[in-house]
Amino acid sequence: MPEKLKKVIGVVLLVMSVSGVSCGSLLNAVSSHTASDGSLVERIK
Amino acid sequence: MSELKRGGARKMNSDDHNRRLPRPGAWLLYLLPLPMLFGSLIALFKDGKASVAIGAGVAFAIVMLAATLVRKGSEIEAQAMRRKIVRRASTIPYKLLGAITLGVGICIGAKLGSGESLFMSLLLGVVASLGCFMVYGRDPARTAPDAPAIGVTSEEVLEILNEADNKIQAIEAARSRIHNVELKDRLSNIITGVREVMGIVEEDPRDLRRARKFLRVYLDGAQRVTEGYADSHKYGENSELEDNFRNVLTTIETVIGEQKQKLSENNLTELDVQIEVLQLQLEKEGV
């Protein structure tokens, strides 16, 4: 795999996972509907 | 002799060259998890959000540790690749440790901070590690690319070159404190000459055997004398001291010239020997 493409895919994976989890944590923290385990799925339900 | 390639220490191959492509700094790993910190702080002041606060806080700390490890690994790699000769890198695989730590941090953050399922948390952790590995690459080779054929190791060559670099920087700093234009110009020429000698050694580490004394002893002397002159110069002009310094500069210039000549003569001698060997071989084979 070309080095550049590998890097681009890597950045996408990194941004998706790290920012996804960190934004998820933030949303979970600001959400007023607290579920017993704090899960997003529970809150949607 | 002819079997030995000049520049016996391992030079960079195309793979090494690829690894020299600019990588995004570790700032990405410091920046992306910031919402996690805010999430942790907000959850801290909310009832029933203690697990989110702790989870996000711990995950943030682990991700910061991972970012620091990756940054350290990148710095070591950059240092290792600065010269033409590849040096043995750190024995600790910082980037690999960073990628694993990042995965662990993201897994904890996803489970406790975002409240994802265990499977999803593990998956996100693996994806983060993989992404980190793809972006920042692997750690440089941990085995020493020694050059036993030339009698010195790459580490030795790089150590002496780095030492010489530091001495040149010290001479440059002292030069900036001297106001005499003629002396400044001569020092500038000396620095250029030393850099040329360093370039020759870097190109072919076998020349280190001949340049070692110059790079260690003479350069050290040049640094001390220049610094001494620059220090005493600020107390006022002293023609006797200036004349002595001029004499020293002349000696250094002569030594640099001789050193360069010696190194180029060595190359020519080697070429002569190679031509002779080739001629003998051709005669023997009746060509």
Side-chain angles (χ1 to χ4, degrees):
Chain A
M1 194 188 291
E3 188 76 4
K4 210 170 180 178
L5 179 68
K6 202 165 114 182
K7 219 170 275 180
V8 170
I9 295 171
V11 169
V12 171
L13 291 180
L14 205 58
V15 170
M16 262 170 54
S17 56
V18 180
S19 62
V21 168
S22 52
C23 290
S25 299
L26 182 62
L27 280 173
N28 206 1
V30 295
S31 163
S32 53
H33 305 286
T34 315
S36 57
D37 64 348
S39 103
L40 280 170
V41 178
E42 282 294 314
R43 280 202 309 277
I44 291 163
K45 281 178 186 172
Chain B
M1 182 167 190
S2 55
E3 280 172 11
L4 284 180
K5 274 187 180 175
R6 290 193 68 79
R10 189 165 79 88
K11 297 287 182 68
M12 282 182 299
N13 54 31
S14 57
D15 188 41
D16 292 327
H17 183 76
N18 281 339
R19 279 160 50 213
R20 288 190 93 194
L21 287 172
R23 298 188 189 286
W27 56 267
L28 197 67
L29 290 178
Y30 286 107
L31 195 72
L32 291 176
L34 278 179
M36 220 187 292
L37 175 68
F38 299 134
S40 172
L41 291 173
I42 291 167
L44 206 62
F45 298 103
K46 281 196 164 187
D47 290 335
K49 297 266 185 184
S51 66
V52 176
I54 294 168
V58 169
F60 178 76
I62 294 173
V63 174
M64 286 296 110
L65 176 68
T68 308
L69 287 169
V70 171
R71 194 189 64 186
K72 175 98 179 154
S74 300
E75 277 172 7
I76 288 174
E77 186 189 36
Q79 211 180 15
M81 297 294 171
R82 201 162 61 91
R83 294 203 182 273
K84 287 176 183 170
I85 309 161
V86 179
R87 80 180 302 164
R88 178 176 58 190
S90 167
T91 47
I92 303 165
Y94 284 102
K95 286 189 190 178
L96 182 68
L97 282 179
I100 294 168
T101 313
L102 179 72
V104 172
I106 290 302
C107 187
I108 292 172
K111 182 77 187 101
L112 301 176
S114 307
E116 301 294 341
S117 66
L118 185 64
F119 173 75
M120 197 61 191
S121 305
L122 287 171
L123 186 69
L124 283 165
V126 171
V127 168
S129 288
L130 186 69
C132 182
F133 188 74
M134 287 173 92
V135 173
Y136 296 103
R138 61 176 189 269
D139 292 277
R142 275 178 286 159
T143 49
D146 292 351
I150 60 165
V152 287
T153 62
S154 304
E155 290 292 303
E156 270 180 280
V157 179
L158 288 165
E159 193 192 314
I160 290 172
L161 289 176
N162 287 342
E163 262 177 39
D165 244 347
N166 292 339
K167 283 170 195 164
I168 287 180
Q169 276 170 20
I171 292 173
E172 272 176 340
R175 178 182 167 271
S176 64
R177 301 203 302 272
I178 297 171
H179 304 297
N180 187 316
V181 181
E182 178 221 332
L183 296 177
K184 277 181 100 137
D185 283 349
R186 288 181 72 180
L187 277 170
S188 179
N189 290 336
I190 286 171
I191 290 167
T192 312
V194 175
R195 285 206 193 281
E196 279 174 27
V197 172
M198 284 170 70
I200 295 171
V201 172
E202 198 174 335
E203 200 60 49
D204 180 5
R206 282 195 288 179
D207 286 326
L208 183 70
R209 283 176 299 182
R210 278 162 228 96
R212 194 194 298 260
K213 193 176 175 187
F214 168 77
L215 290 174
R216 280 220 156 125
V217 182
Y218 290 114
L219 199 55
D220 198 46
Q223 180 198 339
R224 275 188 282 119
V225 169
T226 313
E227 282 178 338
Y229 177 76
D231 287 341
S232 56
H233 182 70
K234 64 186 172 194
Y235 299 116
E237 297 290 326
N238 182 334
S239 59
E240 197 185 338
L241 186 73
E242 211 164 277
D243 286 343
N244 284 341
F245 186 59
R246 271 199 185 90
N247 290 337
V248 171
L249 288 184
T250 309
T251 311
I252 297 170
E253 283 162 351
T254 314
V255 169
I256 289 174
E258 282 172 0
Q259 186 67 55
K260 282 200 285 190
Q261 201 182 347
K262 212 160 98 179
L263 292 176
S264 61
E265 270 173 10
N266 167 63
N267 289 353
L268 289 176
T269 313
E270 204 162 82
L271 189 65
D272 278 346
V273 172
Q274 279 177 355
I275 291 169
E276 256 177 60
V277 168
L278 193 66
Q279 270 175 345
L280 281 172
Q281 214 172 356
L282 291 173
E283 279 170 22
K284 205 174 152 187
E285 286 170 14
V287 180

